[in-house]
Each structure stands twice: as structure tokens, then as C-alpha cells.
Amino acid sequence: MKRDELAISIPMIYLVRPGETAWNREGRQQGQFDSPLTAIGIEQARATGRALRKVLPEGKTMCVETSPLGRASHTAALLCAELGLDVSALVVSPLLLEHHLGVWQSLTNADIDGQYPGARRARETDKWNYVVPGGESYALAYARARQWLAGKRHAPVTIVVTHEMFSRVLQGAYAGLTPAETLGRSHYQGRLYRLHEAQMEEIQF
């Protein structure tokens, strides 16, 4: 993994993905549309908070920064409850929004194949640069991740609530990964990623 001067200068980050949503269960592309957390998703968010309590460094001031989408802000509020933090201290950042999937948002893969024949296959030929109509490419999302990383952090430890696809590019931007390496990253529910001193550590719970 490449070391990156930007990453070395950034205080500790914990990446959190929102809990399961109704559209996750239905196999729908969410992008920057939204759907509510399921009962399982609410418990996943609470479990994430309990896991964070075990790994957060003692004595460090922390901040929770979240995507403005409802599934993320709900997860962030549940984390704050588990960690004993005041929810009013949440920082909302539009830069942490999910990868925009344009006209595919709210559709299942079967819907996409029916309405836009061959589009998913075309995207696979150049996934990094392909722009879903009305959306953004991974390359554009990566630039947005770099912008967020270059911004001022509000505390020595930042808990970031963002989304599966955007977490990939945030990890890639942090560690200076190639496009192929970045696309190979993931962020499953039930996992945390600690980003510190240009290294990434996966924490399962």
C-alpha cells in the first residue's frame, strides 16, 4: 500500500457504513436517494457504537462527521447515543454523500437492464470513468474524497459515517491506491476501518 503525504498529515479516522436499509434488502440502487434503516440496520448501528467504544483511544476528543442522507444521519445519531456524545455536535458534510448513480437510483439491476439495456455491461468496461446519466463516475467521487480529506478536521479522532461506494474511494484516496485497487476495496456492514498514519486497518465485530 502506497504511503501518501496527505494521509500522513490527517488525524485518526474511523469509517462507518450505515446499517441495513429497506432498499438494501430489496436490491435497489440507492446512490443519493434514501430509504430508512430496517430493524436489523438499527441494531447494526448500535453494534457499531459498542464496537467503537472498545477501540477508540482513551482521552482523545472526537467528532462524528456524517453524510446528510437520512440513513447515515440516523446511524450517526445511534452511534452518538452509544458513545455518550451529544447529537447536536454532529458535523454534516455533503462531501460524504454516496456515489451519485443518476437515473439508476431506486432501480434494481433487473430494472436497469430492462430500461437501459447493455448499460451495466458498458459500465464494467471502464468502471472508473463511466458516468451513469445524471450521476458521477468513480473518478469524480474520488476527487470529492480527496477534497474531504484535505479539509480541516474538527478533532483528533473523527468518526465518519458514509456509504459503501463512497467509502471505497475514501479509502483509496487516503492510501494513494490505484483506480483498480480502489475499486477492489469494500465496506460491508458490521465492519469498521481505522485510517491512521497512512495505514488502513479493518475491524470486524
Side-chain angles (χ1 to χ4, degrees), residues 30-78:
Q30 294 186 116
Q32 294 185 7
F33 281 6
D34 215 353
S35 66
L37 298 183
T38 63
I40 289 172
I42 290 170
E43 178 49 37
Q44 287 171 332
R46 289 174 173 153
T48 301
R50 293 192 292 271
L52 280 166
R53 283 207 308 259
K54 296 177 182 178
V55 298
L56 286 168
E58 293 185 11
K60 292 279 190 181
T61 304
M62 67 189 73
C63 169
V64 181
E65 194 161 346
T66 181
S67 156
L69 291 174
R71 60 190 187 271
S73 58
H74 189 183
T75 297
L78 292 167

Coordinates of all heavy atoms in Angstrom, one line a residue, residues 30-78:
Q30 N -29.3 2.8 -4.3 CA -29.7 3.9 -3.5 C -29.0 5.2 -4.0 O -29.6 6.2 -4.2 CB -29.4 3.7 -2.0 CG -30.2 2.6 -1.4 CD -30.0 2.4 0.0 OE1 -30.9 2.6 0.8 NE2 -28.8 2.1 0.5
G31 N -27.7 5.2 -4.2 CA -27.0 6.4 -4.5 C -27.3 7.5 -3.6 O -27.2 7.3 -2.4
Q32 N -27.7 8.6 -4.1 CA -28.0 9.8 -3.3 C -29.5 9.9 -3.0 O -30.0 10.9 -2.4 CB -27.5 11.1 -3.9 CG -25.9 11.1 -3.9 CD -25.3 12.4 -4.4 OE1 -26.0 13.3 -4.6 NE2 -24.0 12.4 -4.5
F33 N -30.3 8.9 -3.4 CA -31.7 8.7 -2.9 C -31.6 8.1 -1.5 O -30.5 7.8 -1.0 CB -32.5 7.9 -3.8 CG -33.0 8.6 -5.0 CD1 -32.7 9.9 -5.3 CD2 -33.9 8.0 -5.9 CE1 -33.1 10.6 -6.4 CE2 -34.4 8.6 -7.0 CZ -34.0 9.9 -7.3
D34 N -32.7 7.9 -0.9 CA -32.6 7.4 0.5 C -33.7 6.4 0.8 O -34.7 6.3 0.1 CB -32.8 8.6 1.5 CG -31.9 8.4 2.7 OD1 -31.3 7.3 2.9 OD2 -31.9 9.3 3.5
S35 N -33.5 5.6 1.8 CA -34.5 4.7 2.3 C -34.2 4.4 3.8 O -33.0 4.6 4.2 CB -34.6 3.3 1.6 OG -33.4 2.6 1.7
P36 N -35.2 4.1 4.6 CA -35.0 4.0 6.1 C -34.2 2.8 6.5 O -34.2 1.8 5.8 CB -36.4 4.0 6.6 CG -37.2 3.4 5.5 CD -36.6 3.9 4.3
L37 N -33.5 2.9 7.7 CA -32.9 1.8 8.3 C -34.0 0.7 8.6 O -35.1 1.1 9.1 CB -32.2 2.1 9.5 CG -31.0 3.1 9.4 CD1 -30.3 3.3 10.8 CD2 -30.0 2.7 8.4
T38 N -33.7 -0.5 8.4 CA -34.5 -1.6 8.9 C -34.3 -1.8 10.4 O -33.3 -1.2 11.0 CB -34.2 -2.9 8.2 OG1 -32.9 -3.3 8.4 CG2 -34.5 -2.7 6.7
A39 N -35.0 -2.7 11.0 CA -34.8 -3.1 12.4 C -33.4 -3.7 12.6 O -32.6 -3.4 13.5 CB -35.8 -4.0 12.9
I40 N -33.0 -4.5 11.6 CA -31.6 -5.0 11.6 C -30.6 -3.9 11.4 O -29.6 -3.9 12.1 CB -31.4 -6.0 10.4 CG1 -32.2 -7.3 10.7 CG2 -30.0 -6.4 10.2 CD1 -32.3 -8.3 9.5
G41 N -30.9 -2.9 10.6 CA -29.9 -1.8 10.4 C -29.8 -1.0 11.6 O -28.6 -0.5 11.9
I42 N -30.8 -0.8 12.4 CA -30.7 0.0 13.6 C -29.9 -0.8 14.6 O -29.0 -0.2 15.3 CB -32.2 0.2 14.2 CG1 -32.9 1.2 13.4 CG2 -32.1 0.7 15.7 CD1 -34.4 1.3 13.7
E43 N -30.0 -2.1 14.7 CA -29.2 -2.9 15.6 C -27.7 -2.9 15.1 O -26.8 -2.8 16.0 CB -29.7 -4.3 15.7 CG -28.9 -5.2 16.6 CD -28.5 -4.6 18.0 OE1 -29.4 -3.9 18.6 OE2 -27.4 -4.8 18.5
Q44 N -27.5 -2.9 13.8 CA -26.1 -2.9 13.3 C -25.5 -1.5 13.7 O -24.3 -1.5 14.1 CB -26.2 -3.0 11.8 CG -26.4 -4.4 11.3 CD -26.6 -4.5 9.8 OE1 -27.1 -3.5 9.2 NE2 -26.3 -5.6 9.2
A45 N -26.2 -0.5 13.6 CA -25.7 0.8 14.0 C -25.3 0.9 15.5 O -24.2 1.4 15.9 CB -26.7 2.0 13.7
R46 N -26.2 0.3 16.3 CA -25.9 0.3 17.8 C -24.7 -0.6 18.0 O -23.8 -0.3 18.9 CB -27.1 -0.2 18.5 CG -28.3 0.8 18.5 CD -29.5 0.2 19.2 NE -30.6 1.3 19.3 CZ -31.9 1.1 19.3 NH1 -32.3 -0.2 19.2 NH2 -32.7 2.1 19.4
A47 N -24.6 -1.8 17.3 CA -23.5 -2.7 17.5 C -22.2 -2.0 17.1 O -21.1 -2.2 17.7 CB -23.7 -3.9 16.7
T48 N -22.2 -1.1 16.1 CA -21.1 -0.4 15.6 C -20.6 0.6 16.7 O -19.4 0.7 17.0 CB -21.4 0.4 14.4 OG1 -21.8 -0.5 13.3 CG2 -20.1 1.2 13.9
G49 N -21.6 1.2 17.4 CA -21.3 2.1 18.5 C -20.6 1.3 19.6 O -19.6 1.8 20.2
R50 N -21.1 0.1 19.9 CA -20.5 -0.7 21.0 C -19.1 -1.1 20.6 O -18.1 -1.1 21.5 CB -21.3 -1.9 21.3 CG -22.7 -1.6 21.9 CD -23.4 -2.8 22.4 NE -23.8 -3.7 21.4 CZ -25.0 -3.7 20.8 NH1 -25.9 -2.7 21.1 NH2 -25.3 -4.6 19.9
A51 N -18.9 -1.4 19.3 CA -17.5 -1.8 18.9 C -16.6 -0.6 19.0 O -15.4 -0.8 19.3 CB -17.6 -2.3 17.4
L52 N -17.1 0.6 18.6 CA -16.2 1.7 18.7 C -15.8 2.0 20.1 O -14.6 2.5 20.4 CB -17.0 3.0 18.1 CG -17.0 3.1 16.6 CD1 -18.0 4.1 16.2 CD2 -15.6 3.5 16.1
R53 N -16.7 1.8 21.1 CA -16.3 2.0 22.5 C -15.1 1.2 22.9 O -14.3 1.6 23.7 CB -17.5 1.6 23.4 CG -18.6 2.7 23.4 CD -19.4 2.6 24.8 NE -19.8 1.3 25.1 CZ -21.1 0.8 24.9 NH1 -22.0 1.6 24.3 NH2 -21.4 -0.4 25.3
K54 N -14.9 0.0 22.3 CA -13.8 -0.8 22.6 C -12.5 -0.4 22.0 O -11.4 -0.8 22.5 CB -14.1 -2.3 22.2 CG -15.3 -2.9 22.9 CD -15.6 -4.3 22.4 CE -16.8 -4.9 23.1 NZ -17.2 -6.2 22.6
V55 N -12.6 0.3 20.9 CA -11.3 0.6 20.1 C -10.9 2.0 20.1 O -9.8 2.3 19.7 CB -11.5 0.0 18.7 CG1 -11.7 -1.5 18.6 CG2 -12.6 0.8 17.9
L56 N -11.8 2.9 20.4 CA -11.4 4.4 20.4 C -10.3 4.6 21.4 O -10.4 4.1 22.6 CB -12.7 5.2 20.7 CG -13.7 5.3 19.6 CD1 -15.0 6.0 20.1 CD2 -13.1 6.1 18.4
P57 N -9.4 5.4 21.1 CA -8.3 5.8 22.0 C -8.8 6.6 23.2 O -9.7 7.5 23.0 CB -7.3 6.6 21.2 CG -8.1 7.1 20.0 CD -9.2 6.1 19.7
E58 N -8.4 6.3 24.4 CA -8.8 7.0 25.6 C -8.2 8.4 25.6 O -7.1 8.6 25.2 CB -8.4 6.2 26.8 CG -9.1 4.9 27.0 CD -8.8 4.2 28.3 OE1 -8.2 4.8 29.2 OE2 -9.1 3.0 28.4
G59 N -9.1 9.3 26.1 CA -8.6 10.6 26.4 C -8.5 11.5 25.1 O -8.1 12.7 25.2
K60 N -9.0 11.0 24.0 CA -8.9 11.8 22.8 C -10.3 12.5 22.5 O -11.3 11.8 22.6 CB -8.5 10.9 21.6 CG -7.1 10.4 21.6 CD -6.1 11.5 21.1 CE -4.7 10.9 20.9 NZ -3.8 11.9 20.5
T61 N -10.3 13.7 22.2 CA -11.5 14.4 21.7 C -11.9 13.8 20.4 O -11.1 13.6 19.5 CB -11.3 15.9 21.6 OG1 -10.8 16.4 22.8 CG2 -12.6 16.6 21.2
M62 N -13.2 13.6 20.2 CA -13.7 13.0 19.0 C -14.9 13.8 18.4 O -15.5 14.5 19.1 CB -14.1 11.5 19.2 CG -15.3 11.3 20.0 SD -15.5 9.5 20.4 CE -14.1 9.3 21.6
C63 N -15.0 13.6 17.1 CA -16.1 14.2 16.4 C -16.8 13.2 15.5 O -16.1 12.3 14.9 CB -15.5 15.4 15.5 SG -16.7 16.1 14.3
V64 N -18.1 13.3 15.3 CA -18.8 12.4 14.4 C -19.2 13.3 13.2 O -19.9 14.2 13.3 CB -20.0 11.8 15.0 CG1 -20.7 10.8 14.0 CG2 -19.6 10.9 16.3
E65 N -18.7 12.9 12.0 CA -19.0 13.6 10.8 C -19.8 12.7 9.9 O -19.4 11.6 9.7 CB -17.7 14.1 10.1 CG -18.0 15.1 9.0 CD -16.7 15.9 8.7 OE1 -15.7 15.9 9.4 OE2 -16.7 16.6 7.6
T66 N -20.9 13.2 9.3 CA -21.8 12.3 8.6 C -22.2 12.9 7.3 O -22.3 14.1 7.1 CB -23.0 12.0 9.5 OG1 -23.9 11.1 8.8 CG2 -23.8 13.2 9.8
S67 N -22.5 12.0 6.4 CA -23.3 12.3 5.1 C -24.6 12.8 5.6 O -25.2 12.4 6.6 CB -23.4 11.0 4.3 OG -24.6 11.1 3.4
P68 N -25.2 13.8 4.8 CA -26.6 14.3 5.1 C -27.7 13.3 4.8 O -28.8 13.6 5.3 CB -26.7 15.5 4.3 CG -25.8 15.3 3.1 CD -24.6 14.5 3.6
L69 N -27.5 12.2 4.1 CA -28.6 11.3 3.8 C -29.1 10.7 5.1 O -28.4 10.4 6.1 CB -28.1 10.2 2.9 CG -27.8 10.7 1.5 CD1 -27.1 9.5 0.6 CD2 -29.0 11.2 0.8
G70 N -30.4 10.5 5.1 CA -31.1 10.0 6.3 C -30.6 8.7 6.9 O -30.5 8.6 8.1
R71 N -30.2 7.8 6.1 CA -29.7 6.5 6.6 C -28.4 6.7 7.3 O -28.1 6.0 8.3 CB -29.6 5.5 5.5 CG -28.6 5.8 4.3 CD -28.8 4.8 3.2 NE -27.8 5.0 2.1 CZ -28.0 5.7 1.0 NH1 -29.1 6.4 0.9 NH2 -27.1 5.8 0.1
A72 N -27.6 7.7 6.9 CA -26.3 8.0 7.5 C -26.5 8.8 8.8 O -25.9 8.5 9.8 CB -25.4 8.7 6.6
S73 N -27.4 9.8 8.7 CA -27.6 10.7 9.9 C -28.3 9.9 11.0 O -28.0 10.1 12.2 CB -28.3 11.9 9.6 OG -29.6 11.6 9.0
H74 N -29.2 9.0 10.7 CA -29.8 8.1 11.7 C -28.7 7.2 12.3 O -28.7 7.1 13.6 CB -30.9 7.3 11.0 CG -31.7 6.5 12.0 ND1 -32.8 5.7 11.6 CD2 -31.8 6.5 13.4 CE1 -33.3 5.2 12.7 NE2 -32.7 5.6 13.8
T75 N -27.9 6.6 11.5 CA -26.8 5.8 12.0 C -25.9 6.6 13.0 O -25.5 6.2 14.1 CB -26.0 5.2 10.9 OG1 -26.8 4.3 10.1 CG2 -24.8 4.4 11.4
A76 N -25.6 7.8 12.5 CA -24.7 8.7 13.3 C -25.3 9.0 14.7 O -24.6 9.0 15.7 CB -24.4 10.0 12.5
A77 N -26.6 9.3 14.7 CA -27.3 9.6 15.9 C -27.3 8.4 16.9 O -27.1 8.6 18.1 CB -28.7 10.0 15.7
L78 N -27.5 7.2 16.3 CA -27.4 6.0 17.1 C -26.0 5.8 17.7 O -25.8 5.3 18.8 CB -27.9 4.8 16.3 CG -29.4 4.8 16.0 CD1 -29.6 3.7 14.9 CD2 -30.2 4.5 17.2

